[in-house]
Amino acid sequence: MARVVEADGAVDVIDIDDPADSRLDDFRDLNSVDRRPDLPSGKGLVIAEGVLVVQRMLASRFAPRALLGTDRRLTELTPDLTGRQAPGVPYYRVSAEVMAEVVGFHLNRGVLAAAVRVPEPSVAELVSGARTIAVLEGVNDHENLGSIFRNGAGLGVDAVVFGSGCADPLYRRAVRVSMGHALLVPFARSNNWPADLVMLRERGFRLLAMTPDPRAEALSTAMATVRDQPLAVLVGAEGPGLSEQAMRASDLRVRIPMSRGTDSLNVATAAALAFYERTRLPE
Amino acid sequence: MARVVEADGAVDVIDIDDPADSRLDDFRDLNSVDRRPDLPSGKGLVIAEGVLVVQRMLASRFAPRALLGTDRRLTELTPDLTGRQAPGVPYYRVSAEVMAEVVGFHLNRGVLAAAVRVPEPSVAELVSGARTIAVLEGVNDHENLGSIFRNGAGLGVDAVVFGSGCADPLYRRAVRVSMGHALLVPFARSNNWPADLVMLRERGFRLLAMTPDPRAEALSTAMATVRDQPLAVLVGAEGPGLSEQAMRASDLRVRIPMSRGTDSLNVATAAALAFYERTRLPE
């Protein structure tokens, strides 16, 4: 065992040669074990993959309890690890071969970090002070969820609310596709759906429901009417879209004008266009 | 062998029980065989997966030479197949189990169509009469390529030009992610890159290069200056972005205003925002 740096708060670097070492259990067989870490039966761990996402985890509310990676990635991460973010946390330094055997596949990102989940705020707590939020219903695809976080982080979304039927935003794949923004953009899960939509309205949010319905208002026109108010952008899953209940609870039904008789855009792309229109400066 | 309908031009339905039947070779081991159908060594086939994408292939310039699928999908496709689109083309009707064995994995979309490639236009031919085109450089990810076609189809893009370093837009995964729009939106590959950018300018296109560079002009401002002119939106791969040569050949360097110090959006999302801004009506 050797400290990378002597400064207080650095990680403990621990070399491990044996893939069966139980200290690596947080990272074992990632593709087959713990596919539902959010369930009571799951481990509850949040896994960050790759230097960039691990850096974002270190900057987030999810404090890693262990890291697994190659020496090369340790070097790349050292500036991030030598702060107060990772006091005394073990970095299990392994070869790429041992890493592949533990994880169950070759991971060319070369480093993983594992954190335990933290308590989530209520929807009311989450949205306090927010100007723009995304509200998701039935978005059960981890890639779409991750993309919505990435797009939201770049395009001014303050928080994300999950209605019914959404996938776990802290699942490894969602975190990876989000480029780590699922760890940074605050979110909450509604326990009272769709009634929480009424609560959002009572707190001053205008509710804008995205739909491919040609009778809906065009995005730019609709967004101009809510420019100075707190806004919730509601999106549903590709295919079914938002439920009738969610549509009815909304203030505005909004469509993206589309060409060529295309059915719809990907849900994360549609959300990005709404977020963009929200932040777009008036001409 | 039995005709679905007696009308001229219907498919020939052929029941096959033996997964080794050589008539199914177009569809064999899709995940491992012919990963580069665009190379001279490749089969050159274009594969459409699922009812919606097969329908779009039938409406495209790629005429299927064979289909493989279950009885259920045949029923769903019959209205599309009983036209002039598929005269005498075989529909190999198989069980889901035989299909999985031929294809090499379980395909719950239940139907595939195979078409040969058709000659591609030159860039000059392609852009004749176009008002908005997308120009891609180094976009070597099939999912991103497919998403760009899907977004472009929905948001008013007339044609797509491939500069150097792009993946094959007719590869199965790209076609699937595009929802079949890779078969419908015309495209051409540049054989003279980046010199073709000069040719585009000479033909009256304004070249707008997307970049995360904070010194670039904001998207809405830049787009307003080219509103009445033919436009080429240039995007590069995530990470490296556009080459210096492509940047120098452009008229405008344009960024999407972003929050939270995020590095960049996904390339297909960035392209979608540019396409959207292009079609967005002035307030």
Side-chain angles (χ1 to χ4, degrees), chain B residues 197-213:
Chain B
L197 292 173
V198 177
M199 184 269 283
L200 290 173
R201 289 180 72 177
E202 286 168 358
R203 288 173 180 251
F205 284 88
R206 299 298 300 276
L207 272 54
L208 187 156
M210 301 296 291
T211 168
D213 187 339

Side-chain angles (χ1 to χ4, degrees), chain B residues 1 30 55 77 92 114 128 151 177 202 215-216 243 247 259:
Chain B
M1 193 183 296
L30 288 181
Q55 286 169 332
L77 278 168
Y92 299 118
S128 170
N151 297 340
V177 173
E202 286 168 358
R215 296 164 302 177
S243 68
M247 292 295 276
S259 53

